[in-house]
Amino acid sequence: MPAAKTEERHDKAKGLDVMHPALALRLLASGQQAAAKSADGAIEAISAAAAIAADALSAGGKLAYAGAGSSGLMAMADALELPGTYGIAQDQIVVLLAGGTASLSDLAGGYEDDMDLARADVESAGLQAGDCLISVSASGSTPYALAAAAEARKRGAKVITMANNPAAPLFEDADVAILLQTPPEVISGSTRMGAGTAQKIAFNMFSTLIGIHLGHVLDGYMVNLRADNIKLRGRAIRIVSDITGVTAAEAGRLISAAAGSVKLAILLASGAKDVTAAEAALEKADQNLRRAMAIASGE
C-alpha cells in the first residue's frame, strides 16, 4: 500500500539536520507557505460547507467540531472563537477533541484510535437532525474522526469533513468534503506543520463565511462581537463610530443604551427610535445588519 501524501518524504529535506540554521528555517518557512496555497483549491468546498453550517446555526441547531491530535486542536481553536467573535450562542458550538481536556495537557496519540470514545462523544453532545458536524484529520483515516462523522450522520446531522490526502476514507458519504492537498512535510509525517497550517487557514475561511452568512459581518467589521473586556469594548466603540460616523463618546453611549450590542447601537445611530425598534428591525432582517439598517432608516 503506497504511503499517504502526508507521510511522504520532502525532496529538499535531505541533510536538514546539518544545515545552517538559517537555511533550515527558510526551508521550513517555504514548506508552510506551499501548504497554505492548498486552501485555494478548496474554495468551492469551503463555501458549500459554510452555507450548511450557517443554515444549522440560524435554525437554532448546533455546529460541532471533531478531531484528534493537532488537527483536533486546529478545530478547537476555530470553535472557541465563534461565540466571542460573532456572538454565536455558546450552547450551539460543540468541541469534540479526542481525549477531551486530558489532551490539553498531554496530547497522547492513543485517543485518536478510540472509535467507541468518538461515538460516545457524539451521543453526549446530543447531535441530531438539524445539527452539523465538521470532522478533521490530516490523513483522513483517523479512527476517532471517522467514527465521529459516521455517528453524527447516523443521527441525522449534516457532516462536513476535512483532510489533506486525496481519496481519504473520511470523505466517504460526507455532505461536503474539503480536500487540502498539501505537499509532503519537511519533517515527514509531522502534520502539525504544513497540514495544520492549511487546516487553520481553511477553518478561518469557513467560520468567517459563516459569520457573513449569519449577518454578523458588515464591511469587514465583526458587528456581533461580544465586548466582554476593555480591548473589545474599545473595538466595539470604533466599529460603531466608523460605520455610523458618530463620535466615540456617542458610540459608547449608544452601546451602553443597547446593553453592549454593537448591532443595536448601530441601528440606534441609523435612525431607530429606541432599542425596541432596533430589535424589531433586526428580527425583520433575520439578524442581517445591512438589511436592518435600511429598515431602521426608512429606506
Side-chain angles (χ1 to χ4, degrees):
M1 180 178 176
K5 288 286 184 183
T6 49
E7 297 295 328
E8 289 182 356
R9 184 174 177 276
H10 194 286
D11 60 5
K12 294 183 179 179
K14 187 174 178 61
L16 176 65
D17 53 303
V18 292
M19 281 183 190
H20 185 282
L23 291 177
L25 289 174
R26 287 194 183 96
L27 180 58
L28 291 168
S30 68
Q32 298 286 288
Q33 292 155 7
K37 292 178 182 177
S38 69
D40 291 342
I43 294 289
E44 294 302 322
I46 295 170
S47 177
I52 289 174
D55 283 348
L57 289 169
S58 64
K62 297 175 183 176
L63 173 59
Y65 290 69
S70 56
S71 293
L73 293 178
M74 293 300 101
M76 182 179 71
D78 197 63
L80 294 180
E81 293 278 8
L82 284 173
T85 304
Y86 296 124
I88 297 170
Q90 284 185 304
D91 61 4
Q92 286 188 276
I93 304 299
V94 178
V95 179
L96 305 180
L97 174 64
T101 55
S103 286
L104 299 180
S105 58
D106 179 14
L107 204 60
Y111 295 120
E112 73 174 44
D113 296 331
D114 196 332
M115 301 181 79
D116 289 337
L117 174 64
R119 287 187 280 265
D121 285 349
V122 170
E123 180 180 8
S124 178
L127 297 187
Q128 59 187 351
D131 297 329
C132 176
L133 177 134
I134 178 164
S135 187
V136 59
S137 158
S139 68
S141 59
T142 303
Y144 182 92
L146 289 168
E151 184 66 18
R153 187 180 307 112
K154 173 183 170 184
R155 292 171 175 272
K158 294 288 188 180
V159 174
I160 299 160
T161 58
M162 181 189 297
N164 299 76
N165 280 318
L170 189 59
F171 292 152
E172 295 176 11
D173 300 320
D175 291 289
V176 177
I178 300 171
L179 170 61
L180 302 169
Q181 198 160 350
T182 47
E185 303 286 0
V186 176
I187 304 297
S188 179
S190 184
T191 53
R192 71 183 182 87
M193 299 175 67
T197 293
Q199 290 167 5
K200 176 59 175 167
I201 292 170
F203 276 128
N204 286 346
M205 295 162 66
F206 168 73
S207 55
T208 300
L209 193 54
I210 289 172
I212 291 170
H213 281 313
L214 294 175
H216 299 334
V217 174
L218 180 75
D219 293 335
Y221 291 106
M222 54 177 84
V223 292
N224 207 42
L225 67 82
R226 186 176 64 202
D228 55 4
N229 61 32
I230 293 172
K231 178 189 75 174
L232 291 179
R233 179 168 172 80
R235 181 180 297 164
I237 288 171
R238 287 192 297 275
I239 289 171
V240 173
S241 179
D242 288 353
I243 289 176
T244 67
V246 301
T247 65
E250 176 64 1
R253 186 190 72 78
L254 291 172
I255 290 169
S256 295
S261 169
V262 171
K263 282 187 176 181
L264 293 178
I266 289 170
L267 290 173
L268 289 171
S270 300
K273 64 179 181 179
D274 54 29
V275 171
T276 299
E279 289 173 337
L282 264 183
E283 183 71 22
K284 187 174 180 180
D286 293 326
Q287 302 303 310
N288 183 286
L289 180 59
R290 189 178 295 278
R291 294 200 298 268
M293 289 172 71
I295 293 170
S297 64
E299 292 180 9

